[in-house]
Amino acid sequence: MDPTTPQTACFEAGIKFGSLYHQFAGTPVSPDSADSLARAMEEAIENQPHCESVTVTVREDALREAIAESGADYTELTGRFIEVSMTVDYEGVVVETSMAMDEGYPLMQVDDVAAE
Amino acid sequence: MDPTTPQTACFEAGIKFGSLYHQFAGTPVSPDSADSLARAMEEAIENQPHCESVTVTVREDALREAIAESGADYTELTGRFIEVSMTVDYEGVVVETSMAMDEGYPLMQVDDVAAE
Amino acid sequence: MDPTTPQTACFEAGIKFGSLYHQFAGTPVSPDSADSLARAMEEAIENQPHCESVTVTVREDALREAIAESGADYTELTGRFIEVSMTVDYEGVVVETSMAMDEGYPLMQVDDVAAE
Amino acid sequence: MDPTTPQTACFEAGIKFGSLYHQFAGTPVSPDSADSLARAMEEAIENQPHCESVTVTVREDALREAIAESGADYTELTGRFIEVSMTVDYEGVVVETSMAMDEGYPLMQVDDVAAE
């Protein structure tokens, strides 16, 4: 069957998550540069269609721990260093999504689907 | 409200599309290297959870035209050089999606949502 | 032969350019989000070893023109939208490099190599 | 001072390494998809100017170990899963470069610079 509007809204939300993750994974990051990277990620993805807002929080403790372990003074961005929440509005259907660590793995999920 | 299973299936499908696009956008590509890139894109994204199959077709005419215009012998991958179809199966809900050019813009869309 | 110190300094400078370009190529960008992306690019690459400073300038005219042509309200980052200058200091050899448009193509080059 | 031809050759070699690494870092990879990714990396970077040849070898043991630890059936590409060797020829100066693990960190280096 053709997708419903809420299904398409969820598809759009997924696109934004995959984009955010795979555009920026691998970026050199340190505690000092974490804020500028988080802002760029938010504003870049907010450009995409139907994307109302993106919030990226760097898990600075996890970042400092990884850097201490490696002996370098920076590391590469991966999912365990960030938490993300995102709101997509597709034709009046508002989808709330988030990414957070779940049993050691960055889990992306739909938290809420609401028609206006 | 919590997402339904079909909505989550569509979210998962969107993640795969955003991943595929933003992981590989910008890759140097020529007619000679198009096939290996297409195979790598397919197999990389098929690793992701719930992803049954991915087919990437390079639009070789568009690629050759862009290369001829630029005067270089390769270009960078962007959406107008590929067509993609993808099947996601999330808890028995099968979502068919595709990306193709639509009025000069690569449009990602859900083509079908089917419960088993 | 083994590389000289200035040759290795130039190799290190090249690594930074390739990293900057291919990490961020494809990022959704608009005039409103250009500044945060430029700052993130600078700070991300400055994390890399021997990298003293990075300056990224968005060519806003080129960006606005591409957006106007496409009919969308953002585009994807590629070399024609940015100018970059970068200083690498490897064991006292300072290498100045830059990227700018040259006959329609983003040219990365070494501008100066100076031993202290 | 302006760069010498061998210095520019080393700069060009560095660009290819940074490109290869940051284009493909973060790609979903498993033992089954490792070969297609390695081929795509080689052929993509061989498109770049002055790049004679690229060889990417996946360190399958490291890959299997990371996957076993994570409990997933794939992981994301990072430097510790690959070894790379590359030959650049810039105006007759042949530069041999490689990337391999060195004390737990992927080290990119110039192995040889030879004028014809």
Side-chain angles (χ1 to χ4, degrees):
Chain A
M1 289 189 299
D2 285 348
T4 64
T5 302
Q7 287 168 0
T8 301
C10 289
F11 178 67
E12 290 290 334
I15 291 173
K16 276 69 185 165
F17 255 109
S19 299
L20 180 146
Y21 196 95
H22 285 276
Q23 182 62 57
F24 294 101
T27 304
V29 64
S30 63
D32 282 354
S33 72
D35 276 355
S36 64
L37 182 57
R39 293 301 83 68
M41 293 172 78
E42 292 171 352
E43 296 195 8
I45 302 304
E46 285 173 354
N47 283 315
Q48 293 191 328
H50 320 298
C51 189
E52 290 297 294
S53 69
V54 181
T55 306
V56 175
T57 307
V58 176
R59 300 180 62 227
E60 294 217 5
D61 287 355
L63 192 58
R64 287 179 199 281
E65 194 178 318
I67 289 171
E69 268 177 32
S70 75
D73 47 10
Y74 71 102
T75 187
E76 294 172 14
L77 188 72
T78 186
R80 67 193 168 109
F81 299 131
I82 51 174
E83 291 179 353
V84 182
S85 62
M86 205 182 296
T87 305
V88 162
D89 182 338
Y90 178 79
E91 295 188 5
V93 176
V94 178
V95 179
E96 304 284 353
T97 58
S98 61
M99 186 179 82
M101 293 305 286
D102 181 70
E103 301 185 9
Y105 181 83
L107 185 67
M108 302 175 186
Q109 63 186 355
V110 179
D111 298 315
D112 192 72
V113 180
E116 282 181 328
Chain B
M1 290 190 300
D2 285 349
T4 65
T5 301
Q7 288 168 359
T8 301
C10 290
F11 178 69
E12 289 291 332
I15 292 173
K16 276 70 184 164
F17 255 108
S19 298
L20 180 146
Y21 196 96
H22 285 275
Q23 182 61 57
F24 294 101
T27 303
V29 63
S30 63
D32 283 353
S33 73
D35 275 355
S36 64
L37 182 57
R39 293 300 84 69
M41 293 171 76
E42 292 172 352
E43 296 195 8
I45 301 304
E46 286 173 353
N47 283 315
Q48 293 191 326
H50 319 298
C51 189
E52 290 297 296
S53 69
V54 181
T55 305
V56 175
T57 307
V58 176
R59 300 178 63 227
E60 294 216 5
D61 287 356
L63 192 59
R64 287 179 198 281
E65 195 179 316
I67 289 171
E69 269 177 31
S70 75
D73 48 10
Y74 71 102
T75 186
E76 295 172 14
L77 188 72
T78 186
R80 68 193 167 108
F81 300 131
I82 50 175
E83 291 179 352
V84 182
S85 63
M86 205 183 296
T87 305
V88 162
D89 182 338
Y90 178 79
E91 297 187 6
V93 176
V94 177
V95 179
E96 304 284 352
T97 59
S98 61
M99 186 179 82
M101 293 304 286
D102 181 70
E103 301 185 7
Y105 181 83
L107 184 67
M108 302 175 188
Q109 62 187 355
V110 179
D111 298 316
D112 191 71
V113 180
E116 281 182 327
Chain C
M1 289 191 299
D2 284 348
T4 64
T5 301
Q7 288 167 359
T8 301
C10 289
F11 178 68
E12 290 290 333
I15 291 172
K16 276 71 187 164
F17 255 108
S19 299
L20 180 146
Y21 196 95
H22 285 275
Q23 181 61 58
F24 295 101
T27 303
V29 63
S30 64
D32 283 353
S33 73
D35 276 355
S36 65
L37 181 57
R39 291 304 82 69
M41 294 172 76
E42 292 171 350
E43 294 195 9
I45 302 302
E46 284 173 355
N47 283 315
Q48 293 190 326
H50 319 299
C51 189
E52 291 295 296
S53 69
V54 180
T55 305
V56 175
T57 307
V58 176
R59 300 178 63 229
E60 294 216 4
D61 286 356
L63 192 58
R64 286 179 199 282
E65 195 179 316
I67 289 171
E69 269 177 32
S70 75
D73 48 10
Y74 72 100
T75 187
E76 295 172 14
L77 187 71
T78 185
R80 67 193 168 109
F81 300 131
I82 50 173
E83 291 180 352
V84 181
S85 63
M86 204 183 294
T87 304
V88 162
D89 183 338
Y90 179 78
E91 296 188 6
V93 176
V94 178
V95 179
E96 304 285 353
T97 58
S98 61
M99 185 179 82
M101 293 304 285
D102 181 70
E103 302 185 5
Y105 182 82
L107 185 66
M108 302 176 187
Q109 62 186 354
V110 179
D111 298 314
D112 192 71
V113 179
E116 282 182 327
Chain D
M1 290 190 299
D2 285 348
T4 63
T5 301
Q7 288 168 359
T8 301
C10 290
F11 178 68
E12 289 290 333
I15 291 173
K16 276 70 186 165
F17 254 108
S19 299
L20 179 147
Y21 196 96
H22 285 275
Q23 182 62 57
F24 294 101
T27 303
V29 63
S30 64
D32 282 354
S33 72
D35 275 355
S36 65
L37 182 56
R39 293 302 84 69
M41 294 172 77
E42 292 171 351
E43 295 195 9
I45 302 302
E46 285 173 354
N47 283 314
Q48 293 191 326
H50 319 300
C51 189
E52 291 296 297
S53 70
V54 180
T55 306
V56 175
T57 308
V58 176
R59 299 177 63 229
E60 294 217 4
D61 287 355
L63 193 59
R64 287 179 198 282
E65 193 179 319
I67 289 170
E69 268 176 34
S70 75
D73 49 10
Y74 71 103
T75 187
E76 295 172 14
L77 187 71
T78 185
R80 68 193 167 109
F81 299 131
I82 51 174
E83 291 179 354
V84 181
S85 63
M86 205 183 296
T87 304
V88 162
D89 182 337
Y90 178 79
E91 297 189 5
V93 176
V94 178
V95 179
E96 303 285 353
T97 59
S98 61
M99 185 179 82
M101 293 304 286
D102 180 70
E103 302 184 7
Y105 182 83
L107 185 66
M108 301 176 187
Q109 61 187 357
V110 179
D111 297 316
D112 191 73
V113 180
E116 283 181 329

